[in-house]
């Protein structure tokens, strides 16, 4: 799927390259027709992939030079009632919440309220962590619980042991930076291992450093100033009922092979939980590129591959994947949670961004904890 998306982005880049005049004479009529044909080809390819991958609904936006140049929906936001997906359809964005959390964290660093190299144990000594089995007070107690879960091979958390395994919070000094870069498992800073659960602990870091709720900081510092009016931190906050009413409806496939309405909700943490649209994500993307959310220095740090303890580049920066494909740098993030999927894919040297939000059919309504 990733390479198919790259093909789509390359195709649209051709369209934009043909359509851009850059101060030159207007394009000839054949060139205009060719550009129109390419846009239509792009749309046809998106629709073909949607059907091939059995995606009920998908919304797409593309930015060039911080401006939206393409935005539309394909398929349905509500299959049962045949309500089309559009560029204004809200979806859960799952792990694409992580770049927002990273931006909030870097704002606190810039304000002198947080040190990325501070130990998690020092910051979260008085934090209260809600668990299904009851609230856990303090990082030390949380660490003890994680150690127990990492050894559980038959209990209800056994399928999720990978989230707790080799987190050496009892013997190693784990820092904010380690969590932000997914290098907190094993010897901290040694290897990259994506872990949404451990990243989610950064919510409490933000709240301890700022003495404000993580959701409130998202609104105050990002979504409200950028007028992201179709974005809410999470459905559990109860705000913006109109956004929730327009939310793309989750579906699962029942035993008879029929798509039936499912249920999904996700409480907000630093790793997941936001609801947004491709046009609102476009506002965030453009603001990042214009250094309106964090400074150029902070952004460059976020967009730079993490180096392991041994100096080896890893595939993740701070809140973003940072990789190359055929010599082209890609800054990106994905999200997938039960019936929702998301992608932010940036090509800095082309000043291009592709935004995708999707519904997915699932036969298992369980939260995948990604």
């Amino acid at each position: 799927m990733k390479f198919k998306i790259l093909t789509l982005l390359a195709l649209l880049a051709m369209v934009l390259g043909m359509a851009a005049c850059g101060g030159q004479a207007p394009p000839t009529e054949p060139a205009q027709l060719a550009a129109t044909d390419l846009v239509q080809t792009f749309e046809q390819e998106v629709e073909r992939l949607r059907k091939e991958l059995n995606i009920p609904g998908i919304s797409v936006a593309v930015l060039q030079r911080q401006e939206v140049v393409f935005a539309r929906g394909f398929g349905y936001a509500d299959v049962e009632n045949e309500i089309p997906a559009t560029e204004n359809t809200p979806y859960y964005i799952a792990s694409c919440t992580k770049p927002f959390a990273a931006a909030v964290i870097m704002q606190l660093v810039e304000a002198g309220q947080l040190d990325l190299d501070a130990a998690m144990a020092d910051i979260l000594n008085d934090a209260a962590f809600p668990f299904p089995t009851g609230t856990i007070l303090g990082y030390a107690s949380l660490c003890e619980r994680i150690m127990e879960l990492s050894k559980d091979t038959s209990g209800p958390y056994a399928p999720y042991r990978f989230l707790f395994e080799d987190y050496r919070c009892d013997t190693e000094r784990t820092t904010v930076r380690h969590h932000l870069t997914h290098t907190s498992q094993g010897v901290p800073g040694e290897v990259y291992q994506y872990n949404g659960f451990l990243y989610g602990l950064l919510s409490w870091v933000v709240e301890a450093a700022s003495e404000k709720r993580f959701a409130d900081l998202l609104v105050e510092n990002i979504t409200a100033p950028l007028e992201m009016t179709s974005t809410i931190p999470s459905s559990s906050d109860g705000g913006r009922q109109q956004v929730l009413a327009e939310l793309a409806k989750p579906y699962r496939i029942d035993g008879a092979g029929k798509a039936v309405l499912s249920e999904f909700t996700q409480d907000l943490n630093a790793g997941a939980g936001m609801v947004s649209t491709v046009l609102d994500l476009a506002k965030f993307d453009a603001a990042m590129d214009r250094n309106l959310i964090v400074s150029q220095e902070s952004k460059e740090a976020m967009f730079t591959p993490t180096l392991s303890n041994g100096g080896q580049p890893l595939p993740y920066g701070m809140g973003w994947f940072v990789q190359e494909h055929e010599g082209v740098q890609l800054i990106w993030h994905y999200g997938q949670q039960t019936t929702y999927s998301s992608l932010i894919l940036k090509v800095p040297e082309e000043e291009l961004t592709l935004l995708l939000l999707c519904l997915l059919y699932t036969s298992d309504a369980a939260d995948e904890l990604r």
Side-chain angles (χ1 to χ4, degrees):
M1 180 63 176
K2 179 170 71 173
F3 296 110
K4 292 178 180 178
I5 289 172
L6 292 175
T7 301
L8 289 176
L9 191 60
L11 178 60
L12 196 60
M14 291 172 59
V15 175
L16 299 173
M18 293 182 67
C21 299
Q24 301 174 7
T28 62
E29 185 175 344
Q32 290 175 324
L33 289 173
T36 300
D37 289 344
L38 281 172
V39 171
Q40 291 176 347
T41 301
F42 176 81
E43 293 176 329
Q44 290 168 1
E45 184 65 8
V46 172
E47 179 64 8
R48 186 189 68 79
L49 287 173
R50 184 187 73 82
K51 291 180 177 178
E52 176 185 318
L53 300 173
N54 197 26
I55 295 173
I58 179 171
S59 297
V60 183
V62 177
L63 291 87
Q64 186 180 44
R65 302 185 187 96
Q66 296 102 51
E67 298 293 335
V68 176
V69 294
F70 180 92
R72 64 159 291 190
F74 301 81
Y76 296 105
D78 183 335
V79 175
E80 182 180 8
N81 297 300
E82 296 187 348
I83 297 174
T86 74
E87 62 273 23
N88 294 306
T89 298
Y91 302 74
Y92 276 96
I93 67 171
S95 285
C96 279
T97 300
K98 290 180 174 67
F100 285 85
V104 168
I105 286 170
M106 295 308 291
Q107 289 175 339
L108 294 175
V109 171
E110 290 176 1
Q113 295 178 268
L114 180 63
D115 179 359
L116 291 180
D117 295 312
M120 296 286 286
D122 294 339
I123 297 174
L124 300 178
N125 186 52
D126 298 322
F129 301 95
F131 252 66
T133 54
T135 299
I136 297 174
L137 298 177
Y139 182 78
S141 297
L142 175 68
C143 186
E144 290 178 6
R145 181 64 174 137
I146 288 175
M147 294 300 102
E148 294 173 4
L149 293 173
S150 68
K151 300 171 184 176
D152 184 5
T153 59
S154 59
Y157 287 94
Y160 309 113
R161 284 182 58 208
F162 69 96
L163 295 172
F164 312 115
E165 283 182 328
D166 213 19
Y167 182 58
R168 306 178 186 180
C169 52
D170 57 338
T171 59
E172 301 280 355
R173 184 179 184 273
T174 307
T175 68
V176 176
R177 188 186 302 273
H178 293 139
H179 280 251
L180 192 58
T181 58
H182 294 289
T183 59
S184 60
Q185 287 176 278
V187 176
E190 187 64 30
V191 298
Y192 160 81
Q193 187 167 335
Y194 188 85
N195 191 313
F197 170 77
L198 294 178
Y199 194 102
L201 297 184
L202 292 170
S203 305
W204 285 273
V205 170
V206 167
E207 294 179 358
S210 67
E211 298 184 348
K212 291 185 177 182
R213 293 174 64 237
F214 174 56
D216 293 340
L217 283 182
L218 277 175
V219 173
E220 292 173 16
N221 295 355
I222 299 180
T223 64
L226 297 181
E227 298 183 351
M228 297 173 65
T229 55
S230 294
T231 298
I232 55 177
S234 71
S235 63
S236 62
D237 282 2
R240 292 201 168 88
Q241 292 303 313
Q242 184 62 35
V243 175
L244 294 177
E246 297 173 355
L247 182 72
K249 301 299 185 291
Y251 289 88
R252 63 181 177 83
I253 303 299
D254 65 13
K258 180 182 177 181
V260 295
L261 192 63
S262 182
E263 292 185 3
F264 177 83
T265 186
Q266 167 69 58
D267 290 336
L268 178 71
N269 61 53
M274 291 181 68
V275 173
S276 192
T277 68
V278 290
L279 288 183
D280 267 9
L281 292 180
K283 294 176 183 179
F284 173 72
D285 180 74
M288 283 292 296
D289 283 352
R290 294 168 182 160
N291 303 325
L292 299 178
I293 298 177
V294 297
S295 68
Q296 175 71 21
E297 182 181 5
S298 292
K299 183 178 70 178
E300 288 178 356
M302 296 167 74
F303 289 178
T304 298
T306 300
L307 296 180
S308 70
N309 296 337
Q312 297 300 312
L314 303 175
Y316 206 83
M318 291 192 288
W320 294 87
F321 289 94
V322 185
Q323 296 172 282
E324 285 192 2
H325 175 67
E326 296 183 355
V328 178
Q329 186 189 47
L330 303 176
I331 310 294
W332 65 285
H333 215 289
Y334 81 102
Q336 184 175 343
Q337 236 171 343
T338 311
T339 58
Y340 295 96
S341 182
S342 57
L343 176 71
I344 304 173
L345 174 61
K346 298 174 64 63
V347 188
E349 68 180 57
E350 299 289 343
E351 296 185 88
L352 273 175
T353 300
L354 173 67
L355 302 168
L356 298 176
L357 294 176
C358 301
L359 277 177
L360 301 173
Y361 286 129
T362 178
S363 57
D364 184 0
D367 187 343
E368 296 180 15
L369 293 179
R370 293 188 181 181

